[in-house]
Amino acid sequence: MNRAAGFWAVVLLVGALSVAGAGQGAGGSLTATDYIEIEQLYARYARALDLGDPEAWADTFTPDGTFRDAAGRDELVAYAENSYGRRQGTGRHWNSQLVVTPTAAGADGSAYLLLLDVGAQPPGVGLAGLYSDKLVKTPAGWRFKSRHVEIEGPAETP
């Protein structure tokens, strides 16, 4: 191995160990793979909503998962159908600043939400909020046990 390749191998190893070690906490621990899988869960959630796929959206939850007043797969599918429809719309859910904290039961997650309206010219922000999540690792991978979204912004004027 040449010097440059050896240097980058060490940098990658230290980085991987840092990410894996970042999950060490009082409640449990997460691997680097767990963090990547959780990031992918957030991406699948947003994409399923934006592409109008209620079943795929409900699949990001545990069978007894909750979001707003919906609890369980059937209610989650119905919620997505009623709220977002079955076809691609002009909304794009943009999640950022994801923070994942290990717990004894899995993990807590938090992310900022921007809902962009790409049907407007120029595209604009439809709303902003903050997700607070309970995550669990299932045989099918990481899933939301519960999601709470707090919409942020000034109060509407009458």
Side-chain angles (χ1 to χ4, degrees), residues 10 16 23 27 33 39 49 53 58 63 68 73 79-80 85 92 94-95 103 109 126 131 138 148 156 158:
V10 170
T33 300
E39 287 179 0
L49 283 178
D53 190 342
R68 298 201 176 211
R73 181 175 173 69
Y79 175 87
R92 298 292 179 266
W94 194 271
N95 291 198
T103 67
Y131 283 117
T138 73
H148 173 77
E156 292 185 33

Side-chain angles (χ1 to χ4, degrees), residues 42-133:
Y42 278 77
R44 283 193 317 274
Y45 172 97
R47 183 153 301 192
L49 283 178
D50 296 344
L51 298 179
D53 190 342
E55 288 85 7
W57 180 75
D59 287 344
T60 65
F61 289 85
T62 59
D64 62 344
T66 61
F67 181 77
R68 298 201 176 211
D69 294 332
R73 181 175 173 69
D74 292 342
E75 289 184 19
L76 289 167
V77 170
Y79 175 87
E81 288 175 344
N82 293 330
S83 299
Y84 301 101
R86 287 192 166 272
R87 59 187 188 90
Q88 183 176 355
T90 60
R92 298 292 179 266
H93 289 75
W94 194 271
N95 291 198
S96 66
Q97 275 68 24
L98 174 62
V99 175
V100 178
T101 306
T103 67
D108 288 339
S110 176
Y112 291 129
L113 161 68
L114 286 178
L115 181 58
L116 303 175
D117 181 358
V118 297
Q121 288 303 320
V125 175
L127 62 85
L130 177 67
Y131 283 117
S132 298
D133 307 310

Side-chain angles (χ1 to χ4, degrees), residues 38 41-42 45 60-62 65-66 133-136 142-147:
I38 289 169
L41 173 67
Y42 278 77
Y45 172 97
T60 65
F61 289 85
T62 59
T66 61
D133 307 310
K134 297 292 184 190
L135 304 152
V136 294
W142 283 93
R143 298 292 184 264
F144 295 108
K145 177 75 172 167
S146 66
R147 292 210 88 183

